[in-house]
mmCIF file of all heavy atoms in Angstrom:
data_model
loop_
_atom_site.group_PDB
_atom_site.id
_atom_site.type_symbol
_atom_site.label_atom_id
_atom_site.label_comp_id
_atom_site.label_asym_id
_atom_site.label_seq_id
_atom_site.Cartn_x
_atom_site.Cartn_y
_atom_site.Cartn_z
ATOM 1 N N GLU T 52 -9.808 19.897 13.112
ATOM 2 C CA GLU T 52 -11.185 20.378 12.789
ATOM 3 C C GLU T 52 -11.216 21.041 11.395
ATOM 4 O O GLU T 52 -12.176 20.756 10.635
ATOM 5 C CB GLU T 52 -11.693 21.296 13.935
ATOM 6 C CG GLU T 52 -12.085 20.701 15.202
ATOM 7 C CD GLU T 52 -12.595 21.625 16.181
ATOM 8 O OE1 GLU T 52 -13.432 22.414 15.806
ATOM 9 O OE2 GLU T 52 -12.437 21.350 17.449
ATOM 10 N N ALA T 53 -10.293 21.748 11.161
ATOM 11 C CA ALA T 53 -10.219 22.427 9.822
ATOM 12 C C ALA T 53 -9.940 21.370 8.754
ATOM 13 O O ALA T 53 -10.552 21.413 7.641
ATOM 14 C CB ALA T 53 -9.117 23.399 9.776
ATOM 15 N N ALA T 54 -9.160 20.386 9.062
ATOM 16 C CA ALA T 54 -8.958 19.252 8.095
ATOM 17 C C ALA T 54 -10.248 18.495 7.879
ATOM 18 O O ALA T 54 -10.554 18.149 6.687
ATOM 19 C CB ALA T 54 -7.905 18.310 8.528
ATOM 20 N N LEU T 55 -11.062 18.250 8.945
ATOM 21 C CA LEU T 55 -12.278 17.511 8.789
ATOM 22 C C LEU T 55 -13.198 18.363 7.871
ATOM 23 O O LEU T 55 -13.905 17.795 7.012
ATOM 24 C CB LEU T 55 -12.893 17.340 10.115
ATOM 25 C CG LEU T 55 -14.232 16.715 10.196
ATOM 26 C CD1 LEU T 55 -14.217 15.307 9.794
ATOM 27 C CD2 LEU T 55 -14.936 16.877 11.553
ATOM 28 N N GLU T 56 -13.230 19.555 8.053
ATOM 29 C CA GLU T 56 -14.139 20.424 7.231
ATOM 30 C C GLU T 56 -13.718 20.347 5.748
ATOM 31 O O GLU T 56 -14.601 20.346 4.937
ATOM 32 C CB GLU T 56 -14.000 21.966 7.771
ATOM 33 C CG GLU T 56 -14.914 22.902 6.981
ATOM 34 C CD GLU T 56 -14.747 24.383 7.496
ATOM 35 O OE1 GLU T 56 -14.534 24.578 8.687
ATOM 36 O OE2 GLU T 56 -14.657 25.195 6.626
ATOM 37 N N ALA T 57 -12.365 20.531 5.532
ATOM 38 C CA ALA T 57 -11.827 20.488 4.128
ATOM 39 C C ALA T 57 -12.169 19.111 3.542
ATOM 40 O O ALA T 57 -12.548 19.041 2.308
ATOM 41 C CB ALA T 57 -10.326 20.695 4.131
ATOM 42 N N HIS T 58 -12.056 18.028 4.292
ATOM 43 C CA HIS T 58 -12.440 16.724 3.612
ATOM 44 C C HIS T 58 -13.960 16.570 3.432
ATOM 45 O O HIS T 58 -14.325 16.044 2.408
ATOM 46 C CB HIS T 58 -11.888 15.558 4.461
ATOM 47 C CG HIS T 58 -10.385 15.435 4.503
ATOM 48 N ND1 HIS T 58 -9.658 15.385 5.602
ATOM 49 C CD2 HIS T 58 -9.587 15.456 3.361
ATOM 50 C CE1 HIS T 58 -8.301 15.317 5.318
ATOM 51 N NE2 HIS T 58 -8.300 15.260 3.952
ATOM 52 N N ALA T 59 -14.636 17.236 4.146
ATOM 53 C CA ALA T 59 -16.140 17.282 3.956
ATOM 54 C C ALA T 59 -16.485 17.949 2.675
ATOM 55 O O ALA T 59 -17.300 17.664 1.778
ATOM 56 C CB ALA T 59 -16.875 17.820 5.141
ATOM 57 N N HIS T 60 -15.653 19.123 2.424
ATOM 58 C CA HIS T 60 -15.893 19.941 1.277
ATOM 59 C C HIS T 60 -15.459 19.099 0.041
ATOM 60 O O HIS T 60 -16.099 19.142 -1.029
ATOM 61 C CB HIS T 60 -15.134 21.213 1.284
ATOM 62 C CG HIS T 60 -15.824 22.325 2.131
ATOM 63 N ND1 HIS T 60 -16.936 22.851 1.711
ATOM 64 C CD2 HIS T 60 -15.352 22.879 3.120
ATOM 65 C CE1 HIS T 60 -17.316 23.839 2.618
ATOM 66 N NE2 HIS T 60 -16.350 23.871 3.521
ATOM 67 N N ALA T 61 -14.435 18.325 0.267
ATOM 68 C CA ALA T 61 -13.919 17.498 -0.793
ATOM 69 C C ALA T 61 -15.010 16.364 -1.255
ATOM 70 O O ALA T 61 -15.191 16.171 -2.465
ATOM 71 C CB ALA T 61 -12.574 16.714 -0.416
ATOM 72 N N ALA T 62 -15.640 15.815 -0.242
ATOM 73 C CA ALA T 62 -16.658 14.811 -0.493
ATOM 74 C C ALA T 62 -17.831 15.439 -1.224
ATOM 75 O O ALA T 62 -18.353 14.837 -2.192
ATOM 76 C CB ALA T 62 -17.162 14.187 0.902
ATOM 77 N N THR T 63 -18.265 16.551 -0.865
ATOM 78 C CA THR T 63 -19.332 17.304 -1.593
ATOM 79 C C THR T 63 -18.860 17.653 -3.074
ATOM 80 O O THR T 63 -19.730 17.391 -3.947
ATOM 81 C CB THR T 63 -19.648 18.604 -0.811
ATOM 82 O OG1 THR T 63 -20.140 18.245 0.516
ATOM 83 C CG2 THR T 63 -20.783 19.401 -1.550
ATOM 84 N N ALA T 64 -17.674 18.147 -3.259
ATOM 85 C CA ALA T 64 -17.282 18.418 -4.550
ATOM 86 C C ALA T 64 -17.216 17.162 -5.432
ATOM 87 O O ALA T 64 -17.611 17.260 -6.612
ATOM 88 C CB ALA T 64 -15.864 19.163 -4.542
ATOM 89 N N ALA T 65 -16.786 16.152 -4.873
ATOM 90 C CA ALA T 65 -16.740 14.779 -5.603
ATOM 91 C C ALA T 65 -18.081 14.402 -5.952
ATOM 92 O O ALA T 65 -18.332 13.929 -7.052
ATOM 93 C CB ALA T 65 -15.930 13.786 -4.736
ATOM 94 N N ARG T 66 -19.006 14.512 -4.965
ATOM 95 C CA ARG T 66 -20.388 14.080 -5.219
ATOM 96 C C ARG T 66 -21.060 14.906 -6.406
ATOM 97 O O ARG T 66 -21.617 14.323 -7.248
ATOM 98 C CB ARG T 66 -21.215 14.345 -3.944
ATOM 99 C CG ARG T 66 -22.671 13.608 -3.936
ATOM 100 C CD ARG T 66 -23.272 13.663 -2.598
ATOM 101 N NE ARG T 66 -22.466 13.215 -1.524
ATOM 102 C CZ ARG T 66 -21.887 14.162 -0.537
ATOM 103 N NH1 ARG T 66 -22.261 15.308 -0.558
ATOM 104 N NH2 ARG T 66 -21.160 13.529 0.393
ATOM 105 N N HIS T 67 -20.793 16.174 -6.326
ATOM 106 C CA HIS T 67 -21.228 17.054 -7.523
ATOM 107 C C HIS T 67 -20.649 16.604 -8.863
ATOM 108 O O HIS T 67 -21.345 16.866 -9.914
ATOM 109 C CB HIS T 67 -21.085 18.457 -7.158
ATOM 110 C CG HIS T 67 -22.087 18.975 -6.035
ATOM 111 N ND1 HIS T 67 -23.395 19.171 -6.170
ATOM 112 C CD2 HIS T 67 -21.778 19.349 -4.783
ATOM 113 C CE1 HIS T 67 -23.918 19.480 -5.186
ATOM 114 N NE2 HIS T 67 -22.926 19.751 -4.192
ATOM 115 N N ALA T 68 -19.402 16.252 -8.797
ATOM 116 C CA ALA T 68 -18.672 15.888 -10.055
ATOM 117 C C ALA T 68 -18.968 14.337 -10.388
ATOM 118 O O ALA T 68 -18.345 13.903 -11.409
ATOM 119 C CB ALA T 68 -17.185 16.074 -9.872
ATOM 120 N N ALA T 69 -19.743 13.765 -9.607
ATOM 121 C CA ALA T 69 -20.159 12.291 -9.877
ATOM 122 C C ALA T 69 -18.929 11.460 -9.879
ATOM 123 O O ALA T 69 -18.774 10.437 -10.607
ATOM 124 C CB ALA T 69 -21.046 12.005 -11.135
ATOM 125 N N ASP T 70 -17.923 11.735 -9.016
ATOM 126 C CA ASP T 70 -16.755 11.015 -8.897
ATOM 127 C C ASP T 70 -16.829 10.214 -7.587
ATOM 128 O O ASP T 70 -16.386 10.597 -6.555
ATOM 129 C CB ASP T 70 -15.451 11.923 -8.842
ATOM 130 C CG ASP T 70 -14.163 11.176 -8.835
ATOM 131 O OD1 ASP T 70 -14.189 9.999 -8.477
ATOM 132 O OD2 ASP T 70 -13.199 11.833 -9.232
ATOM 133 N N ARG T 71 -17.283 9.038 -7.668
ATOM 134 C CA ARG T 71 -17.452 8.182 -6.459
ATOM 135 C C ARG T 71 -16.253 7.801 -5.730
ATOM 136 O O ARG T 71 -16.147 7.610 -4.572
ATOM 137 C CB ARG T 71 -18.371 6.817 -6.920
ATOM 138 C CG ARG T 71 -19.739 7.225 -7.325
ATOM 139 C CD ARG T 71 -20.638 6.043 -7.608
ATOM 140 N NE ARG T 71 -20.658 5.127 -6.655
ATOM 141 C CZ ARG T 71 -21.622 5.027 -5.680
ATOM 142 N NH1 ARG T 71 -22.601 5.926 -5.752
ATOM 143 N NH2 ARG T 71 -21.626 4.112 -4.814
ATOM 144 N N ASN T 72 -15.145 7.458 -6.492
ATOM 145 C CA ASN T 72 -13.904 7.168 -5.882
ATOM 146 C C ASN T 72 -13.355 8.303 -5.028
ATOM 147 O O ASN T 72 -12.902 8.123 -3.971
ATOM 148 C CB ASN T 72 -12.894 6.773 -6.999
ATOM 149 C CG ASN T 72 -13.206 5.449 -7.592
ATOM 150 O OD1 ASN T 72 -13.893 4.560 -6.917
ATOM 151 N ND2 ASN T 72 -12.631 5.247 -8.764
ATOM 152 N N ALA T 73 -13.433 9.441 -5.518
ATOM 153 C CA ALA T 73 -13.002 10.681 -4.767
ATOM 154 C C ALA T 73 -13.925 10.986 -3.682
ATOM 155 O O ALA T 73 -13.376 11.242 -2.597
ATOM 156 C CB ALA T 73 -12.936 11.918 -5.766
#
Side-chain angles (χ1 to χ4, degrees):
E52 286 185 35
L55 176 67
E56 180 184 323
H58 288 130
H60 282 296
T63 299
R66 192 173 309 111
H67 288 292
D70 186 341
R71 294 182 55 90
N72 289 335

